[in-house]
């Protein structure tokens, strides 16, 4: 008997599925593409558990004819391509007829669809490739529900990353497609919370604005030349670190290092080594000039004639960056009163250097915010808020606060000016544990927070933060900026913290305070503790 055998169908199916469906975001991408091919104008995506548990994509497109429903989930079943020639002049996103079959092979799939021209639609349920249920559906359009992705391919399931990571892949997938289709409404709900709702707009520029906000849009130059439409960073807006770089070919997001390098080359000497541009490159080429049949997930593209494309992009970038007169954008930041009082040395009566040693059992509350302890032959009084502020402030300045990553980032919409101010110092804030991204018009997306801010009203804090930096015309030196931000954050926590500390907490606070560079003052210069020595007491009681 020979050693070579043809693989059974259940194995080949899973191999094929693995090529198309790598993770929850791949499902989302394929289902959105189907909705777009069906001329939908509204696409709503819902996920639970970062798409591992549940994904549904609902559209108001043409729908699937009842008789086609069972065919649609078979491999190589498509309504989009019927001959080999069709492959070379694609006008649809899908063409391989593999997506639904692949999803069906590795999940519990349910499709509800009704074609516009039919009175009733159909429901089809398939578990790991086996047909479970059929029935009628009522609403026009299609909903595809995918439960328990990879439940029958545990190896693949194990390769999935954390919910946070998988969610980001989904989020990016949706925004990427949305950037290609500004005229279509996209809604994304994660664990029943709406995280995106992009209303239809007319131009790519407006969509970029919805997704990334006005600061980014204003940092870009726009140029349109035949089949090319490009938004790319002004020279003065080049960034350090991560940037937003997108290439869309015939309304598909693609990764293409070759075209990317054409853009970089356009900057040439204007691009410092440690900087990178943001760009959005839209190319619309005749279908026969590009081949998308390269990669199972259609991420890559082959150009019939790449060289002229490279040259056009390179020259376009070069010209747009070096015009006769260049417009510049500098946000108008008016100076105005900061929420933080200026630091002046308040009077300190009878203050002596306290000793480092104390007996925690002697700790004693006086009112809401002071406590006292016996300290050698004297008495030390502590303002717990001032002390706490000092500790937090120094930690923030050193960039060491304990941070909490939010599984589902929080959106905060701010007044325009506050939004602008904060979006200028996202990097500094992130080093202090407050990680945020610009997310649409006047909106920041909070991804991580210093632990001590978790239960506080974040809008208020953000507005205060913005005010604290607005008294300098341009948040100039990083040192100075960070100092202000740290002060404001520290202030928020301790001003609002009306909690009574336990003995252990008081103890901890005193130790932390002792480790501070300046344990004697809060960041605004008020004393954190006052010591009355034995002789001070004698003096106070007129014994001297
Ligand atoms: P492809 O998109 O490559 O044709 P799919 O497996 O993704 O392959 O889909 C198979 C077929 O099912 C499509 O060709 C289309 O006719 C139909 N279909 C899938 N999703 C939808 C949808 N949301 N609306 C209308 N028809 C759909
Ligand atoms: Mg498809």
């Amino acid at each position: 008997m020979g050693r070579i055998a043809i693989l059974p169908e259940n194995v080949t199916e899973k191999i094929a599925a693995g090529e198309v469906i790598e993770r929850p975001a791949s499902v989302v991408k394929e289902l959105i593409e189907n909705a777009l091919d069906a001329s939908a104008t509204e696409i709503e995506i819902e996920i639970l558990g970062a798409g591992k548990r549940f994904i549904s994509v609902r559209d108001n497109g043409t729908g699937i004819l009842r008789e086609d429903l069972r065919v649609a989930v078979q491999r190589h079943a498509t309504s989009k391509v019927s001959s080999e020639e069709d492959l070379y002049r694609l006008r649809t996103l899908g063409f391989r007829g593999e997506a639904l079959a692949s999803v069906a092979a590795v999940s519990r799939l349910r499709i509800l669809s009704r074609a516009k021209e039919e009175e009733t639609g159909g429901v089809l349920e398939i578990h790991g490739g086996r047909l479970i249920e059929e029935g009628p559906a009522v609403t026009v359009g299609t909903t595809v529900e995918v439960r328990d992705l990879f439940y029958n391919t545990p190896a693949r399931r194990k390769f999935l990353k954390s919910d946070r990571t998988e969610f980001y892949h989904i989020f990016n997938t949706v925004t990427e497609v949305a950037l290609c289709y500004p005229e279509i409404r996209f809604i994304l709900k994660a664990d029943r919370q709406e995280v995106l709702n992009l209303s239809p707009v007319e131009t790519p520029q407006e969509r970029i604005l919805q997704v990334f906000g006005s600061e980014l849009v204003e940092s870009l130059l726009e140029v349109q030349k035949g089949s090319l439409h490009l938004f790319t960073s002004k020279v003065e807006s080049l960034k350090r670190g991560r940037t937003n770089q997108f290439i869309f070919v015939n309304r598909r997001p693609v990764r293409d290092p070759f075209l990317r390098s054409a853009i970089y080359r356009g900057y040439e000497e204007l691009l410092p080594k440690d900087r990178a541009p943001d760009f959005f490159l839209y190319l619309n080429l005749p279908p026969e000039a590009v081949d998308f049949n390269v990669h199972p997930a259609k991420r890559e593209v082959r150009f019939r004639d790449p060289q002229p494309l490279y040259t056009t992009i390179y020259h376009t970038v070069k010209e747009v960056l070096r015009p006769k007169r260049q417009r510049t954008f500098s946000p108008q930041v008016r100076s105005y009163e900061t929420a933080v009082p200026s630091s002046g040395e308040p009077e300190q009566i009878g203050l002596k250097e306290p000793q480092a040693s104390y007996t925690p059992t002697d700790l004693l509350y006086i009112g809401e915010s002071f406590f006292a302890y016996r300290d050698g032959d004297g008495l030390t009084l502590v303002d717990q808020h001032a002390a706490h502020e000092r500790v937090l402030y120094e930690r923030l300045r050193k960039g060491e606060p304990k941070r909490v990553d939010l599984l589902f980032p929080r959106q905060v919409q701010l007044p325009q000016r506050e939004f602008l101010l904060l979006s200028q110092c996202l990097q500094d804030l992130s080093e202090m544990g407050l990680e945020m991204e610009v997310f649409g018009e006047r909106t920041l997306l909070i991804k991580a927070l210093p632990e001590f801010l978790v239960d506080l009203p974040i809008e208020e804090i953000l507005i205060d933060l913005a005010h604290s930096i607005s008294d300098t015309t341009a948040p100039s030196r990083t040192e100075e900026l960070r100092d202000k931000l740290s002060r404001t954050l520290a202030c928020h926590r301790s001003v609002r913290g009306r909690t009574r500390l336990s003995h252990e907490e008081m103890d901890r606070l005193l130790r932390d305070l002792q480790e501070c560079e300046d344990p004697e003052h809060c960041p605004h210069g008020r004393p954190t503790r006052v010591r009355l020595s034995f002789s001070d007491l004698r003096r106070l009681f007129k014994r001297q």
Side-chain angles (χ1 to χ4, degrees):
M1 210 171 87
R3 280 183 295 206
I4 302 177
I6 305 281
L7 286 170
E9 203 184 330
N10 66 339
V11 179
T12 53
E13 240 176 23
K14 282 177 185 163
I15 293 174
E19 284 186 351
V20 185
I21 307 300
E22 196 190 339
R23 55 174 12 131
S26 336
V27 175
V28 171
K29 178 171 183 286
E30 293 293 339
L31 298 182
I32 293 179
E33 288 189 355
N34 281 345
L36 290 167
D37 282 343
S39 313
T41 58
E42 236 188 82
I43 302 175
E44 185 173 324
I45 302 109
E46 276 192 70
I47 55 168
L48 295 178
K52 296 174 188 170
R53 260 173 47 214
F54 179 78
I55 297 169
S56 114
V57 175
R58 191 176 58 74
D59 70 54
N60 61 353
T62 54
I64 305 174
L65 293 172
R66 279 199 79 162
E67 59 176 310
D68 280 345
L69 210 49
R70 292 180 72 156
V71 187
V73 292
Q74 287 173 33
R75 197 159 295 283
H76 312 304
T78 179
S79 56
K80 301 167 194 175
V81 167
S82 55
S83 68
E84 191 187 336
E85 291 86 75
D86 288 348
L87 274 185
Y88 306 111
R89 38 162 200 262
L90 287 171
R91 298 197 180 273
T92 51
L93 294 166
F95 55 86
R96 302 168 63 104
E98 282 190 322
L100 290 182
S102 298
V103 176
V106 293
S107 73
R108 307 183 210 273
L109 175 74
R110 190 155 175 259
I111 306 177
L112 304 89
S113 190
R114 191 188 132 199
K116 286 199 170 76
E117 56 270 48
E118 288 189 332
E119 279 293 299
T120 51
V123 179
L124 186 76
E125 199 166 335
I126 296 195
H127 287 185
R130 245 171 9 99
L131 182 70
I132 300 288
E133 186 210 312
E134 282 178 291
V138 278
T139 40
V140 174
T142 304
T143 303
V144 179
E145 297 172 349
V146 177
R147 287 182 175 77
D148 304 325
L149 187 63
F150 302 134
Y151 79 98
N152 55 354
T153 50
R156 179 54 70 105
R157 202 180 165 85
K158 252 187 243 152
F159 271 101
L160 291 180
K161 298 286 192 314
S162 69
D163 280 9
R164 187 177 147 81
T165 305
E166 296 301 339
F167 170 72
Y168 268 101
H169 282 288
I170 291 174
F171 187 82
N172 290 339
T173 299
V174 178
T175 44
E176 262 185 345
V177 185
L179 287 167
C180 299
Y181 290 84
E183 75 278 22
I184 288 172
R185 177 188 295 278
F186 287 90
I187 297 169
L188 172 62
K189 289 181 182 164
D191 290 340
R192 307 203 161 78
Q193 242 186 311
E194 192 172 277
V195 283
L196 274 179
N197 190 339
L198 303 170
S199 52
V201 285
E202 274 167 23
T203 61
Q205 196 207 33
E206 289 169 276
R207 192 40 66 88
I208 298 174
L209 179 77
Q210 287 178 319
V211 176
F212 296 97
S214 58
E215 197 210 4
L216 183 77
V217 168
E218 280 155 13
S219 76
L220 301 169
L221 292 162
E222 179 179 4
V223 55
Q224 214 165 351
K225 221 190 206 183
S227 60
L228 175 156
H229 194 171
L230 172 73
F231 301 83
T232 197
S233 285
K234 294 172 185 172
V235 173
E236 67 271 26
S237 308
L238 290 166
K239 283 191 219 149
R240 254 183 259 270
R242 217 162 51 120
T243 51
N244 300 298
Q245 303 187 339
F246 296 94
I247 300 175
F248 306 113
V249 178
N250 296 1
R251 298 187 133 197
R252 286 173 199 273
V254 296
R255 309 257 174 272
D256 194 289
F258 184 65
L259 297 187
R260 181 170 175 266
S261 67
I263 295 179
Y264 272 67
R265 191 153 160 239
Y267 281 85
E268 264 164 2
E269 81 290 349
L270 300 175
L271 189 66
K273 267 209 175 56
D274 58 343
R275 305 282 163 119
D278 290 306
F279 62 75
F280 301 79
L281 171 62
Y282 293 84
L283 291 173
N284 272 306
L285 305 172
E288 56 277 8
V290 284
D291 183 2
F292 285 102
N293 195 11
V294 185
H295 187 268
K298 295 161 286 188
R299 277 237 155 259
E300 280 163 35
V301 60
R302 217 175 274 146
F303 299 102
R304 195 178 54 193
D305 211 354
Q307 200 53 53
L309 211 52
Y310 181 96
T311 317
T312 310
I313 294 169
Y314 159 55
H315 281 294
T316 309
V317 175
K318 202 169 162 170
E319 282 157 29
V320 72
L321 292 174
R322 298 169 183 79
K324 316 284 167 293
R325 270 173 293 129
Q326 197 163 311
R327 290 167 304 143
T328 53
F329 165 72
S330 53
Q332 285 301 303
V333 180
R334 273 184 306 113
S335 93
Y336 90 96
E337 270 230 287
T338 153
V340 178
S342 65
S343 70
E345 200 76 341
E347 256 187 283
Q348 292 167 36
I349 305 154
L351 184 71
K352 298 274 156 62
E353 273 306 294
Q355 292 168 10
S357 68
Y358 59 90
T359 322
T361 47
D362 289 335
L363 292 163
L364 164 77
Y365 255 105
I366 300 164
E368 283 233 307
S369 59
F370 301 106
F371 62 85
Y373 58 90
R374 189 150 51 105
D375 177 8
D377 63 353
L379 177 76
T380 295
L381 294 155
V382 179
D383 178 335
Q384 71 170 23
H385 296 318
H388 197 189
E389 231 178 306
R390 163 56 60 182
V391 171
L392 291 175
Y393 166 76
E394 291 206 8
R395 282 204 189 143
L396 284 163
R397 294 229 36 188
K398 290 188 198 127
E400 314 175 321
K402 194 165 168 206
R403 44 175 269 169
V404 178
D405 290 348
L406 300 179
L407 186 53
F408 294 111
R410 237 190 269 168
Q411 271 186 52
V412 182
Q413 203 178 41
L414 297 167
Q416 183 64 14
R417 187 190 42 197
E418 281 76 4
F419 172 79
L420 263 179
L421 283 163
L422 287 181
S423 33
Q424 289 175 323
C425 51
L426 294 180
Q427 182 60 36
D428 294 282
L429 287 166
S430 138
E431 274 158 34
M432 290 182 232
L434 182 54
E435 198 187 325
M436 300 188 290
E437 250 175 30
V438 168
F439 184 72
E441 199 43 354
R442 300 194 284 116
T443 305
L444 291 172
L445 193 67
I446 305 174
K447 292 158 70 183
L449 286 173
E451 191 180 47
F452 66 86
L453 292 182
V454 165
D455 53 344
L456 298 181
I458 193 71
E459 281 91 340
E460 248 175 75
I461 296 176
L462 291 180
I463 287 173
D464 254 21
L465 276 174
H467 292 181
S468 76
I469 52 175
S470 65
D471 61 343
T472 38
T473 320
S476 49
R477 289 188 312 117
T478 310
E479 267 308 288
E480 191 186 318
L481 176 71
R482 286 197 64 164
D483 195 76
K484 288 189 165 153
L485 296 175
S486 311
R487 242 194 273 171
T488 309
L489 285 179
C491 180
H492 256 277
R493 171 77 264 185
S494 35
V495 165
R496 274 138 239 255
R498 284 256 154 68
T499 39
R500 265 192 171 233
L501 303 177
S502 67
H503 269 202
E504 292 86 281
E505 287 168 326
M506 286 191 263
D507 185 37
R508 178 81 252 160
L509 179 60
L510 290 169
R511 279 179 210 285
D512 288 346
L513 186 64
Q514 202 51 44
E515 275 161 27
C516 286
E517 276 166 33
D518 178 4
E520 301 310 327
H521 304 99
C522 84
H524 315 306
R526 289 187 292 272
T528 53
R529 53 189 181 184
V530 173
R531 182 170 190 266
L532 296 171
S533 67
F534 189 57
S535 54
D536 289 330
L537 290 172
R538 283 176 63 87
R539 198 161 33 83
L540 282 170
F541 288 104
K542 313 275 184 229
R543 293 220 169 238
Q544 270 175 347

